[in-house]
Amino acid sequence: MSKNLQEYLQDNETVLWQGEPAAFPLIENGNKTRVLRTWLLTVVIIGGLLAAYVTKNSQWSMNVAIGMVVIGAVIMISPVFERASVKRQKYYITNQRAILEFDAKTFYSMDLSDIDDYKVVSDVANEDSVVLGSKIFEEVNKQLRWRACHPMIDRQNTTNRTRAEALVFYGVKNAEAAVELLEGRDATRAA
């Protein structure tokens, strides 16, 4: 356990489970269509806009053309950045919270009592992903990796920006153990 996590934990908080994303390729079976469609549409749209701009404008600007190409390149490389971001993550379930560690100093967490529901997604990543919080259930099949990089937080809460409303533990090998803890949390809450 890292020193930064130790400092992030609250009084009497103990880690009961920890995980991290299993190795995964840039294009997995569950996101292959989305990534390839994004790349194809980016080439078609940026290429079309660039061709129209250059052919319809007798005094076109090289800066505008370069700007269009840069925008297209950023869109096309975004899956690479998503993958790199997810690969650095670590996940924890304590006796009080679910915690997502982005890097040594960036954490997001949900109190276990605030997790209204959870879902195991098996058909997007190569390993099971655990989605905490029903607010993002509808979108996870379309953008699970993106949502893993962008925890849902309450943007109106200015006092605690690390408190999440929904989290994704992406492609973890030991997802079953996390689910057992979450089910135990439900039993404890019901008693």
Side-chain angles (χ1 to χ4, degrees):
M1 187 174 345
S2 74
K3 178 184 173 209
N4 292 316
L5 176 65
Q6 284 287 17
E7 292 172 4
Y8 184 72
L9 294 176
Q10 299 171 351
D11 292 338
N12 300 319
E13 187 171 18
T14 11
V15 174
L16 304 174
W17 173 88
Q18 65 183 22
E20 60 186 48
F24 60 94
L26 177 63
I27 299 177
E28 298 171 283
N29 289 337
N31 74 351
K32 179 188 281 185
T33 305
R34 184 184 67 83
V35 171
L36 295 176
R37 181 178 50 228
T38 299
W39 286 347
L40 179 64
L41 286 174
T42 301
V43 168
V44 169
I45 292 170
I46 296 295
L49 287 172
L50 188 58
Y53 175 72
V54 170
T55 58
K56 302 290 183 192
N57 239 330
S58 61
Q59 294 183 348
W60 58 275
S61 167
M62 182 62 87
N63 290 339
V64 172
I66 290 172
M68 287 183 192
V69 170
V70 167
I71 289 170
V74 167
I75 292 169
M76 291 185 70
I77 203 161
S78 65
V80 175
F81 289 123
E82 284 177 1
R83 178 175 180 257
S85 176
V86 169
K87 284 176 66 173
R88 290 190 310 268
Q89 294 178 359
K90 303 219 180 318
Y91 313 119
Y92 306 96
I93 297 178
T94 71
N95 57 334
Q96 299 174 24
R97 300 181 290 174
I99 300 171
L100 167 69
E101 179 181 357
F102 260 102
D103 54 45
K105 296 182 181 167
T106 307
F107 294 89
Y108 292 93
S109 67
M110 291 179 73
D111 289 343
L112 294 179
S113 60
D114 291 340
I115 300 173
D116 63 336
D117 203 359
Y118 60 89
K119 178 178 185 178
V120 176
V121 178
S122 302
D123 56 349
V124 177
N126 289 347
E127 298 286 339
D128 290 344
S129 297
V130 181
V131 180
L132 306 172
S134 63
K135 289 185 174 191
I136 59 173
F137 282 2
E138 289 181 23
E139 62 187 66
V140 292
N141 288 328
K142 295 179 185 171
Q143 53 187 12
L144 183 68
R145 195 183 295 177
W146 183 88
R147 185 44 82 184
C149 295
H150 302 90
M152 181 177 279
I153 60 171
D154 180 3
R155 303 254 181 233
Q156 304 301 318
N157 184 350
T158 57
T159 58
N160 189 356
R161 301 292 283 171
T162 66
R163 184 182 173 127
E165 295 181 333
L167 295 171
V168 173
F169 291 175
Y170 188 88
V172 290
K173 282 192 179 220
N174 56 348
E176 306 83 24
V179 168
E180 285 179 24
L181 283 171
L182 294 169
E183 287 173 355
R185 165 200 60 99
D186 289 341
T188 304
R189 196 169 24 167

